[in-house]
Amino acid sequence: MKSYDGKKRVLVTGGAGFLGSHLCERLLASGHDVLCVDNFYTGTKDNIAHLLDSPRFELMRHDVTFPLYVEVDEIYNLACPASPVHYQFDPVQTTKTSVHGAINMLGLAKRVKAKILQASTSEVYGDPKVHPQAEDYWGHVNPIGMRSCYDEGKRCAETLFFDYLRQHKLRIKVARIFNTYGPRMHPNDGRVVSNFIMQALKGEPITVYGEGIQTRSFCYVDDLIESLVRLMATSDDFTGPVNVGNPKEFSIRELAERVVALTGSRSKLVFKPLPSDDPMQRQPDITVARRVLEWQPKVELEEGLRKTVAYFQTLMRP
Ligand SMILES: NC(=O)c1ccc[n+]([C@@H]2O[C@H](COP(=O)([O-])OP(=O)(O)OC[C@H]3O[C@@H](n4cnc5c(N)ncnc54)[C@H](O)[C@@H]3O)[C@@H](O)[C@H]2O)c1
């Protein structure tokens, strides 16, 4: 049965993860029915425990590399480990999740005529030769490196989305998400923000790779979720890909110094060799998102970091 009161049945794959849990929360708050599908590979029940009491929230343990048969109006396909430590742990499974997962969710969307959004990534640009990256840049990706299971898996998923559009006229949306941070990030995921905060809170040395002059842009999770919801609501002729992230650049060193200042830590910065394929610069060109989604990030790094530090502090309490 379709709902006719503006309320939709929305599937969020990877819904128990960092971004997925915030998205489920947001969709519930907007009055929709939410089906959260997750195999808990990197996500946890803790992330969505506060939603379980809602009669409009349903949790299903399922691996998206297997077909799924449910009735929904919209699908947000977020299932995929997102940090190098997690996606490199079982690289074959990572590619499977991106590729088979996309095929299964696109198949589902086709069967039930649902609109489907793919959580793609700035990693599709690889180690970019243009800066900042706009959506028409095809990227510079190593197909056989340690990061390739993720980068190429996500690139293939994008291909599948556009082939389902061309071949089956599916209503698709592709978001290329840039570095996002906030509460419910994994404390040990090896990502720069979580690493720095955890090291600072424990009073351990802060590990900076290279000289720390490589830059990143950091988008706070609430801003990012807003962009995904807006993208899903665009007219059917808008498919993306669209970059979503914060264009404001910070050097890794600057981030480390801010975290130390915010946590009041005595940690010192230590410098280690750069890992292979680590991009030097990463900054989204969000011209399309500004124009089509009428969206841009609002939360300043300082405010976002403060909320994230507060979350990590609660995790460390006995
Ligand atoms: N956080 C970021 O900065 C960022 C940047 C770019 C893209 N993305 C994309 O956004 C999505 C969510 O990322 P996140 O940061 O929340 O990561 P996350 O690891 O917290 O969430 C991913 C979720 O997917 C689940 N999952 C993994 N494999 C699965 C499978 N085979 N079947 C079902 N569930 C599975 C995990 O258990 C987890 O709950 C990912 O697709 C990621 O590639 C995130």
Side-chain angles (χ1 to χ4, degrees):
M1 274 281 288
K2 220 177 168 61
S3 39
Y4 292 99
D5 51 1
K7 185 169 94 172
K8 298 193 183 82
R9 298 157 308 173
V10 188
L11 164 62
V12 179
T13 75
F18 162 47
L19 297 183
S21 60
H22 286 273
L23 179 59
C24 288
E25 204 173 283
R26 167 66 197 270
L27 293 167
L28 278 176
S30 306
H32 301 302
D33 286 342
V34 176
L35 171 59
C36 167
V37 162
D38 207 294
N39 70 349
F40 302 114
Y41 185 63
T42 50
T44 63
K45 279 196 187 149
D46 283 349
N47 283 344
I48 36 113
H50 60 298
L51 307 178
L52 289 171
D53 284 342
S54 167
R56 287 183 289 103
F57 182 74
E58 203 180 333
L59 174 62
M60 185 192 279
R61 182 191 287 263
H62 175 81
D63 185 324
V64 295
T65 62
F66 296 96
L68 180 66
Y69 299 93
V70 290
E71 291 288 324
V72 288
D73 305 307
E74 291 180 348
I75 303 169
Y76 288 84
N77 187 34
L78 271 60
C80 187
S83 64
V85 272
H86 291 134
Y87 70 65
Q88 287 168 358
F89 177 73
D90 186 349
V92 173
Q93 178 64 19
T94 299
T95 305
K96 267 191 184 169
T97 294
S98 272
V99 177
H100 293 199
I103 291 172
N104 288 327
M105 293 311 114
L106 286 160
L108 170 64
K110 185 178 163 224
R111 273 196 303 279
V112 300
K113 298 188 171 45
K115 202 182 332 181
I116 180 164
L117 182 149
Q118 168 68 356
S120 190
T121 168
S122 56
E123 302 288 340
V124 300
Y125 299 122
D127 189 0
K129 296 294 166 214
V130 301
H131 188 76
Q133 297 89 48
E135 291 84 349
D136 57 2
Y137 177 54
W138 289 356
H140 180 244
V141 180
N142 176 358
I144 57 167
M146 298 293 285
R147 303 173 80 109
S148 312
C149 58
Y150 184 71
D151 303 5
E152 297 289 20
K154 288 285 188 180
R155 284 168 70 94
C156 184
E158 285 200 11
T159 308
L160 284 160
F161 267 67
F162 280 86
D163 282 334
Y164 266 78
L165 165 72
R166 286 182 283 258
Q167 211 172 321
H168 301 297
K169 309 282 175 278
L170 233 65
R171 293 178 295 154
I172 64 152
K173 313 279 175 194
V174 174
R176 289 187 180 151
I177 303 171
F178 283 65
N179 270 348
T180 303
Y181 72 100
R184 298 193 212 125
M185 293 182 85
H186 305 249
N188 303 314
D189 66 1
R191 287 189 207 170
V192 65
V193 174
S194 36
N195 259 2
F196 286 179
I197 296 177
M198 287 305 282
Q199 288 169 333
L201 290 177
K202 290 182 188 162
E204 292 171 356
I206 309 256
T207 335
V208 176
Y209 293 104
E211 293 167 50
I213 51 171
Q214 68 273 38
T215 62
R216 292 292 183 273
S217 56
F218 305 102
C219 186
Y220 187 65
V221 61
D222 291 355
D223 282 333
L224 196 280
I225 296 303
E226 178 65 28
S227 76
L228 297 185
V229 170
R230 283 181 184 228
L231 174 57
M232 187 61 109
T234 53
S235 61
D236 289 350
D237 58 353
F238 184 73
T239 59
V242 56
N243 290 338
V244 284
N246 197 330
K248 214 166 181 178
E249 267 185 304
F250 295 91
S251 74
I252 293 295
R253 189 182 184 129
E254 194 180 345
L255 176 74
E257 286 164 355
R258 280 193 185 224
V259 167
V260 171
L262 259 176
T263 50
S265 171
R266 294 198 180 156
S267 298
K268 297 271 174 292
L269 274 47
V270 294
F271 297 88
K272 297 228 169 126
L274 265 182
S276 63
D277 295 346
D278 193 47
M280 277 309 287
Q281 288 181 311
R282 185 61 72 55
Q283 184 195 23
D285 177 335
I286 59 162
T287 312
V288 176
R290 278 191 223 270
R291 180 170 46 81
V292 181
L293 311 181
E294 296 175 353
W295 169 90
Q296 63 181 19
K298 290 189 188 139
V299 180
E300 293 295 336
L301 185 66
E302 191 80 8
E303 184 192 340
L305 280 179
R306 192 167 292 124
K307 289 180 176 165
T308 313
V309 166
Y311 168 75
F312 280 84
Q313 278 167 332
T314 62
L315 287 186
M316 288 178 70
R317 274 189 211 122

